[in-house]
Amino acid sequence: MATPAPATENPDQYRLPTDVKPTHYDVVIKTDLEASTFQGFVKASFDVVKETSSITLNTTALELGKVTVYSDALKSHQTPTDRSFESTQERASFQLATPLPAGSKGDIKIYFTGELTGSMMGYYKSSWEDEGKTKSYALTQFEPTAARRAFPCWDEPLLKATFGVTMISREGTTNLSNMPAISEELLGPNSDVSEDVRELAASSKPEEKWKITKFENTPPMSTYIVAVANGDFKFLETSVKMPLSGKTVPLRIYTTPDVIHQAQFALDVKAAALPLYEKIFNVEYPLPKLDTLVAHDFDAGAMENWGLITGRTSVFLLDPERADQQSKKRVATVQSHEVAHMWFGNITTMEWWNYLYLNEGFATLMGEVIIPDKQVVLSYQKWRVDSEFISDHLHRALGLDAKLSSHPIEVDCPDANHINQIFDALSYSKAASVLRMLSNYVGEDRFLKGVSLYLKKKLFANSKTHDLWEGIGTATGLNITELMENWITKIGFPYLTVTEEANGIRVRQNRFLESGVAEPKDDETIWNIPLFILSAQDGGKFGVDKTAILQERERVFPIDTTKPFKLNAGTVGVYRVLYTPEQLVKIAEEAAKTNSVFGVNDRVGLVYDVLALSKAGLAPLSSALTVVDKLKDEPEYLVWDGIADSISGLVSIWWENTQVVDQLNAFRRALFTPIVDRLGYEFNESDSRDVKLLRKLAITQAAGGKEPRVVDELKSRFDHFAKTGDDSKIPADLQQIIFSTAVKYGGQAEYDAIHRAHDKPKTPMQKIAAMIAFGNAQEPELIKRTFDAIAKGRDQDIMYYFAGLAANFKTRRLLVEYFRDHYTELTKRFEGNFTMQYLVRYSMDFLSTPKDLQSTEDFFKDKDTSKYNQSLNQTLDTIRAKVAYIERSTKDLEEWLGEWERRQ
C-alpha cells in the first residue's frame, strides 16, 4: 500500500543519488516492427554536483551494450571498470576509475537493445486488423516509471532535462515524438549522419530501406512525458491562433487508416480548448505543435505526453453519424483533461509522486468543468458540466474516501513501485472536488488568477502543495495554507449534523465512514468547512452565505429556520449533511416543488447524501427511500441519475435476498417505466442532451427492473439486427442495454450475433458494449465461453469482461472462483500496469456475507499483494460495510418496501 515509510526507513533509499544531475539527452532509437525489436543509444549530458566515482540511473527490461563516460574537466573518455544492477528499484550503477570533479560537466553514452512486447509499458507494440491481416505499430507509455524501459535515464519527475530525439525506422512508416521533425531522409551513402547512427541504421539486407527522422529539442521536461511512436498512421489536421503569443499552432490527430474518419470531434475539442487554456492561465503554450495519437492497446485512458497526447480508441474516436451522449462526453472531457496537463504537469511538474494530485486534480477540474463550460464547441450542446461533476467525481470520491483504508490526497509514496496505486479517485476526483470547493469559496476569477500566478512562478520547474496555496493566497489575500491543509494532508472527510436552536442552527462535524460511526481515534481531524448556507435573508429573498465557515468541532450559526434552508448549497462542499428526520421531510417537500429554491445540484446532492448516511447507519434507510419516493415527479435527468444509482446499488447489495431484490425491482419499475412511456425509444436531433440521457437511463433502469414491455421492445430491436445485420433500430445511446438484454434473455443465436459485432465493431463503444454484454449470459455453456474469452482478449479490455460478469448475479460467485483459480497467471499477465487493481475490485467487492469476508482475507494471506494492496484493502472495507449494512437495515428495508407495496 502507498503508506508512509516507517520511521526506521530512509525514503532516500528509493531516490537516485544526487551527485550528478542530467541536463540534456540525445536519444537515438531504431524501431524494427517486423522483428518486434528496438535498439539505440542515449548520450546524457550532466552537471557533477559533488565529486563521484560512480553514476547511477534507472534502467530495466533493456540489454545494455557499450558504455563510455566523458568528463570535460578531465578532457577524457573512460569505460566503467564495473557495472551493477538493482532489479527492485530498477537501477544500473557504473563505477569509474577516475572520479568526476564537483562543478564539472560530463556525459554518459549507453547503447541498448529491447523487445517490443504487448506490455503497454515503456516502448511497446500495438496491433490492428487491415483487410484480415494483423499489423503492428509501436508507441510509448512512460508514466509513472517506464521511460527506463525505453532508454536508460534518471527517471524521476524532479530531474528535468531537454531531449533531442532521433528515430530510425523502415521506409513508409511515420515517426512521431514530442516536437516537430526538423529533418527526415532515407539513409544513403551521402547522408549527413554520425557513424553511430549509420551503424545502427545499417541493415543486413541491402534491399531494406531505412529512414532517419530528427526532431527539435524539447524545453526542460520530466522523463515520464517523453514520447515516441512509429507505424502506419494517417492524420487529420487543423491549426489555431494562440491569444497570447499570436503564434499559429498546428494540431493533428493520428490513427491507423481504418479509423481516421472517427477522429474529427477530438480534434475539434482540442482546437477549442488549447487557446482557452492559454488565455485563462495567461501563460503561453510553449511547444510548436500538439498532436494526438490514438492507440488500439493502451493501459490507462489517455496520457498527456507533451506535444504528443496518446490514448485509447474509446476516449478519442467517435462515429459522427451515430455518437451516443456518453461517448461524446468522454471524448470531450478526456481530450480537454489532457490538454490541461500541457500546463499542469508538463510546464509545472510535481516534485515527486506524493503531489500527483497537483497534476490530476487540476486537470480533472479544469478539463471537465471550468474549460468545457466556456467552450463554444461544447456549450451549444448545453452540457451541465458542473452538475454532472457531482455524480462523475464528487460522489465517486466520497465513496472511496468513506473507507478506513482511504488515503490523504497528498499521499506519502517514497517507493516508486507503489505509485500506480495512487492513480485513483482520490488523486483525481477528491482532489478536483476540494479544488472546486475552494474555487467556489474564494470565487472562480480569483481562484484562476492564483493558479496563473502559481504557474508563472514555476515555469519549466517543479512544485509542491505550498506553491499552489501561495499563488491563490496572493490572489485572494487569504491564508489558503491554513484553510486547506487538512483537506489535502488528512485522510477522510466530514459529515455535518444539523440541529435547530432558538436563534439558528447548531452544526457539528465528525469524520464520515461508510461502515458506521467513527471511533475517537479515527475522528480527530477538524476540517475548515465552508458551509454555503442557503436560507431566507432579510426581506424574505433566498440567498447563499459563502462566508460561513466551521473551524471547530461545533458551532451555532444564526439563520431563519422558519423557512426552508439547506447547507452545502450547490453541492460544492466535500462533505455530507445529516438533518433531523423532521428537517429532512421539509427539505424533501421543498425539493419536490416545481419552483423549488433548491436547484438541481442541491437535489442531486440530497439524494446521494441520504443514501450514504443510511448506509453508514446514521439515518434509517427507510427515510432515504421516502425522500426518493417524494421526488418521483422530478423533471431533471441528473436527479434521476442519482436515484437510479442509489436504487440499483441497493439491489446489488441485497443481491442474494430474492424477496428484497424483487420488491426493489418493483419500486424501480414504478419509478422509471412512466418515464419510458412518456419519452419513448426514439432519439431525435431536436432532443436536448438531458432528454436523451433521461430516456436512456429510464429504459436501462426499467429493463434492469425486469419490466416486461421494455424487455420485449429491446429484444425485438436486437432481433432485427441479429437477422439482418442492420443496426438502425439500435440507437447508439441504447446499444449497451439492448446488447446486454439480448444476451440475458437469449441463447446461443443472440450470443453469436453479439460476437459478430465484437469481432467487427463499427466503433470502439460497440466492442465495449459487446464485451460487457457477454457477461450477462445465463446458460452454462455461454457463461463458459465468456470466461474462456478472458484469456484471448486484449489486455486493455479484460476489465470489461470482469465488469459484465460482476453485474450478473448468476456469474458473481463463478467470477470469484475464476479469479482465485487463475490468480497466478493474472498477476503475471498484468504485472506492472494498472489493470490488476481493477480486477481485484471487480472480482470481489459485490460480496456481502461474513463468510465471504473471511474466505477473501484467507485467500490473500500468503500472497504478495504489494502492487495492489490498496485496492485489496478498499475491497475488504467495501465487503465489511455491506455486511454491516445488511445486518443493520434489512428489517427496516423490508418494512418500508412492504408498506410501499400496500400503498400501490
Side-chain angles (χ1 to χ4, degrees):
M1 185 168 160
T3 50
T8 53
E9 193 174 63
N10 174 13
D12 286 347
Q13 69 176 303
Y14 297 114
R15 304 287 284 272
L16 290 168
T18 53
D19 41 14
V20 303
K21 185 178 184 301
T23 56
H24 176 77
Y25 294 84
D26 282 314
V27 184
V28 179
I29 297 180
K30 176 189 177 185
T31 309
D32 188 343
L33 292 172
E34 289 181 18
S36 294
T37 59
F38 65 95
Q39 57 183 306
F41 62 85
V42 58
K43 182 181 170 187
S45 305
F46 53 75
D47 291 335
V48 183
V49 179
K50 59 183 180 197
E51 183 184 289
T52 183
S53 52
S54 75
I55 294 176
T56 301
L57 39 62
N58 296 111
T59 183
T60 188
L62 295 173
E63 199 175 302
L64 302 191
K66 189 171 70 172
V67 179
T68 54
V69 176
Y70 175 77
S71 163
D72 69 346
L74 303 173
K75 298 282 186 287
S76 65
H77 288 89
Q78 51 181 319
T79 302
T81 54
D82 191 26
R83 59 173 80 176
S84 59
F85 295 92
E86 203 277 288
S87 60
T88 308
Q89 293 302 317
E90 301 179 338
R91 288 178 191 166
S93 291
F94 302 98
Q95 307 307 315
L96 305 174
T98 310
L100 305 173
S104 66
K105 296 182 182 298
D107 62 62
I108 182 169
K109 189 172 186 179
I110 307 173
Y111 288 78
F112 57 84
T113 58
E115 277 184 50
L116 291 170
T117 69
S119 66
M120 302 189 294
M121 295 183 290
Y123 194 28
Y124 70 95
K125 70 176 176 184
S126 179
S127 62
W128 62 292
E129 295 292 317
D130 181 26
E131 296 177 350
K133 286 183 188 161
T134 300
K135 289 190 172 179
S136 293
Y137 55 96
L139 73 154
T140 52
Q141 169 58 31
F142 289 166
E143 190 180 30
T145 56
R148 63 193 68 174
R149 291 172 169 268
F151 58 92
C153 56
W154 286 265
D155 202 6
E156 294 181 359
L158 187 59
L159 302 175
K160 288 191 169 186
T162 54
F163 290 81
V165 174
T166 299
M167 294 182 70
I168 303 169
S169 64
R170 291 182 181 276
E171 183 189 17
T173 59
T174 299
N175 289 323
L176 300 173
S177 190
N178 305 80
M179 300 295 283
I182 46 178
S183 68
E184 183 167 89
E185 62 173 324
L186 276 179
L187 184 69
N190 302 320
S191 299
D192 180 20
V193 294
S194 69
E195 274 312 305
D196 294 329
V197 171
R198 187 175 293 282
E199 216 169 280
L200 264 181
S203 166
S204 52
K205 297 177 184 168
E207 71 276 9
E208 290 183 342
K209 288 192 168 65
W210 294 87
K211 70 172 181 180
I212 298 171
T213 312
K214 192 168 170 43
F215 296 91
E216 276 182 44
N217 283 358
T218 69
M221 60 191 277
S222 303
T223 48
Y224 78 89
I225 49 175
V226 175
V228 297
N230 170 240
D232 177 10
F233 306 129
K234 295 281 181 277
F235 64 86
L236 302 176
E237 68 181 328
T238 186
S239 63
V240 288
K241 189 167 184 187
M242 301 303 280
L244 288 191
S245 64
K247 289 178 189 163
T248 297
V249 177
L251 308 176
R252 288 182 175 182
I253 184 161
Y254 288 87
T255 73
T256 49
D258 54 324
V259 289
I260 190 67
H261 64 288
Q262 297 183 17
Q264 186 65 47
F265 183 63
L267 183 63
D268 292 344
V269 171
K270 182 166 64 173
L274 190 69
L276 257 177
Y277 279 116
E278 184 172 281
K279 185 178 171 188
I280 287 172
F281 296 147
N282 200 25
V283 172
E284 286 185 20
Y285 176 67
L287 301 193
K289 58 99 171 172
L290 179 55
D291 295 333
T292 301
L293 171 64
V294 185
H296 292 76
D297 297 276
F298 204 81
D299 184 27
M303 178 63 208
E304 67 269 18
N305 311 301
W306 215 359
L308 179 57
I309 294 167
T310 50
R312 290 176 174 230
T313 54
S314 60
V315 302
F316 286 137
L317 298 183
L318 203 63
D319 180 349
E321 301 300 312
R322 304 188 69 238
D324 62 293
Q325 296 303 309
Q326 186 188 351
S327 297
K328 268 187 186 167
K329 180 168 184 195
R330 187 186 296 108
V331 172
T333 53
V334 170
Q335 184 69 279
S336 193
H337 176 112
E338 301 310 328
V339 176
H341 277 306
M342 300 302 117
W343 283 262
F344 281 98
N346 298 7
I347 290 180
T348 303
T349 312
M350 72 240 149
E351 279 194 4
W352 183 250
W353 299 99
N354 49 334
Y355 304 115
L356 174 68
Y357 82 92
L358 285 174
N359 283 11
E360 299 302 349
F362 254 108
T364 301
L365 179 65
M366 295 303 305
E368 303 189 30
V369 180
I370 292 176
I371 291 292
D373 214 26
K374 302 178 191 300
Q375 262 197 47
V376 178
V377 76
L378 304 182
S379 61
Y380 74 90
Q381 311 205 13
K382 296 194 168 53
W383 289 7
R384 294 172 162 190
V385 282
D386 187 65
S387 304
E388 290 184 26
F389 181 92
I390 297 166
S391 44
D392 290 350
H393 291 288
L394 177 61
H395 179 59
R396 174 175 173 243
L398 297 187
L400 183 51
D401 207 24
K403 303 177 193 304
L404 274 170
S405 54
S406 179
H407 65 75
I409 289 175
E410 186 181 296
V411 57
D412 201 8
C413 188
D415 186 353
N417 283 309
H418 298 159
I419 293 162
N420 269 358
Q421 298 201 56
I422 61 172
F423 284 79
D424 62 8
L426 300 171
S427 296
Y428 286 72
S429 299
K430 185 186 177 186
S433 300
V434 166
L435 292 167
R436 174 174 171 263
M437 176 171 70
L438 176 60
S439 174
N440 275 274
Y441 180 64
V442 303
E444 189 179 281
D445 289 346
R446 294 202 299 169
F447 174 78
L448 291 173
K449 173 71 176 159
V451 168
S452 175
L453 293 172
Y454 156 74
L455 287 170
K456 286 174 178 173
K457 192 172 177 185
K458 291 288 176 179
L459 286 179
F460 304 109
N462 295 78
S463 66
K464 46 191 182 209
T465 299
H466 179 71
D467 300 315
L468 175 63
W469 298 157
E470 196 181 85
I472 299 173
T474 302
T476 59
L478 298 171
N479 185 339
I480 301 294
T481 302
E482 186 183 285
L483 180 72
M484 300 305 293
E485 185 70 9
N486 284 354
W487 290 105
I488 298 297
T489 61
K490 300 294 185 189
I491 193 170
F493 67 93
Y495 72 95
L496 306 181
T497 305
V498 181
T499 48
E500 290 182 29
E501 303 219 335
N503 62 341
I505 52 172
R506 178 175 293 278
V507 183
R508 177 184 173 84
Q509 63 167 293
N510 294 92
R511 182 177 171 193
F512 181 87
L513 287 172
E514 65 173 359
S515 50
V517 176
E519 292 179 32
K521 69 179 174 61
D522 297 318
D523 189 19
E524 292 172 351
T525 304
I526 299 292
W527 286 272
N528 295 314
I529 308 172
L531 297 179
F532 304 106
I533 302 172
L534 171 63
S535 65
Q537 309 292 305
D538 295 340
K541 276 194 168 176
F542 283 87
V544 178
D545 179 1
K546 289 191 173 184
T547 61
I549 187 163
L550 180 65
Q551 296 180 292
E552 53 269 280
R553 179 64 74 184
E554 60 180 88
R555 192 183 138 197
V556 174
F557 293 85
I559 67 161
D560 179 358
T561 58
T562 62
K563 294 193 173 69
F565 70 90
K566 182 182 173 293
L567 276 64
N568 198 10
T571 312
V572 293
V574 184
Y575 49 86
R576 306 270 187 209
V577 185
L578 174 65
Y579 300 97
T580 63
E582 298 76 30
Q583 287 167 338
L584 188 61
V585 168
K586 283 184 193 168
I587 290 170
E589 284 172 349
E590 174 60 35
K593 288 179 184 171
T594 307
N595 295 312
S596 170
V597 297
F598 304 139
V600 63
N601 285 20
D602 290 304
R603 304 199 298 278
V604 173
L606 181 66
V607 169
Y608 283 125
D609 275 8
V610 293
L611 266 296
L613 291 160
S614 73
K615 186 176 187 181
L618 296 166
L621 176 51
S622 51
S623 68
L625 290 169
T626 299
V627 169
V628 167
D629 199 32
K630 280 189 186 300
L631 292 171
K632 60 180 175 286
D633 296 322
E634 169 63 49
E636 294 285 355
Y637 156 71
L638 284 160
V639 181
W640 279 112
D641 190 40
I643 291 170
D645 186 69
S646 303
I647 304 299
S648 50
L650 295 175
V651 172
S652 184
I653 291 167
W654 269 272
W655 66 290
E656 293 184 296
N657 184 327
T658 314
Q659 185 193 335
V660 166
V661 168
D662 288 346
Q663 289 176 304
L664 279 168
N665 277 335
F667 184 42
R668 246 202 305 188
R669 293 195 296 273
L671 289 170
F672 289 99
T673 308
I675 302 175
V676 179
D677 292 341
R678 177 163 59 85
L679 296 180
Y681 297 83
E682 298 306 328
F683 288 74
N684 303 307
E685 277 298 308
S686 57
D687 289 340
S688 70
R689 173 176 158 78
D690 274 22
V691 164
K692 289 175 180 173
L693 288 168
L694 181 56
R695 179 183 292 117
K696 172 186 176 175
L697 180 77
I699 291 168
T700 301
Q701 288 298 316
K706 301 182 179 176
E707 172 57 51
R709 284 183 298 127
V710 175
V711 169
D712 287 346
E713 174 68 27
L714 300 184
K715 281 163 63 182
S716 110
R717 285 170 177 263
F718 182 80
D719 196 40
H720 175 76
F721 167 65
K723 285 176 179 159
T724 65
D726 168 21
D727 62 0
S728 60
K729 292 189 175 182
I730 301 180
D733 287 276
L734 297 183
Q735 184 169 250
Q736 183 65 71
I737 187 60
I738 288 175
F739 277 21
S740 293
T741 302
V743 173
K744 184 175 182 178
Y745 293 96
Q748 187 167 325
E750 287 76 11
Y751 195 98
D752 287 345
I754 297 279
H755 222 289
R756 289 194 292 276
H758 167 274
D759 289 350
K760 290 196 171 169
K762 286 187 174 180
T763 63
M765 289 313 295
Q766 188 171 67
K767 184 172 182 181
I768 291 170
M771 289 184 284
I772 292 172
F774 290 146
N776 283 265
Q778 303 294 308
E779 296 174 11
E781 62 273 19
L782 298 178
I783 291 171
K784 183 179 182 303
R785 271 178 73 180
T786 303
F787 278 108
D788 289 347
I790 292 172
K792 300 193 282 270
R794 286 180 188 261
D795 284 1
Q796 68 159 18
D797 291 335
I798 296 314
M799 60 182 179
Y800 298 120
Y801 290 99
F802 274 66
L805 290 160
N808 180 358
F809 295 171
K810 196 159 188 175
T811 54
R812 279 184 166 181
R813 293 201 170 278
L814 296 173
L815 182 59
V816 179
E817 209 176 286
Y818 178 89
F819 179 89
R820 292 178 185 178
D821 290 348
H822 295 80
Y823 174 79
T824 307
E825 66 210 57
L826 288 170
T827 48
K828 185 162 176 48
R829 182 175 176 183
F830 298 110
E831 188 180 28
N833 62 29
F834 293 107
T835 306
M836 195 62 192
Q837 52 198 333
Y838 297 122
L839 300 189
V840 168
R841 196 167 70 228
Y842 280 134
S843 303
M844 279 158 277
D845 75 353
F846 47 74
L847 296 173
S848 54
T849 70
K851 186 180 166 195
D852 287 328
L853 177 63
Q854 188 60 55
S855 77
T856 305
E857 288 174 332
D858 290 346
F859 175 77
F860 286 102
K861 258 184 193 149
D862 60 348
K863 308 287 185 292
D864 173 10
T865 63
S866 59
K867 293 277 175 85
Y868 59 81
N869 59 1
Q870 195 161 282
S871 177
L872 173 60
N873 290 333
Q874 289 161 357
T875 299
L876 292 169
D877 273 352
T878 300
I879 300 170
R880 289 183 193 105
K882 286 178 178 174
V883 169
Y885 198 11
I886 289 169
E887 284 176 2
R888 193 192 301 121
S889 298
T890 299
K891 188 167 183 292
D892 180 39
L893 177 59
E894 287 172 341
E895 285 174 1
W896 189 91
L897 288 166
E899 179 56 40
W900 177 81
E901 279 189 331
R902 283 190 288 281
R903 287 203 311 275
Q904 301 314 299

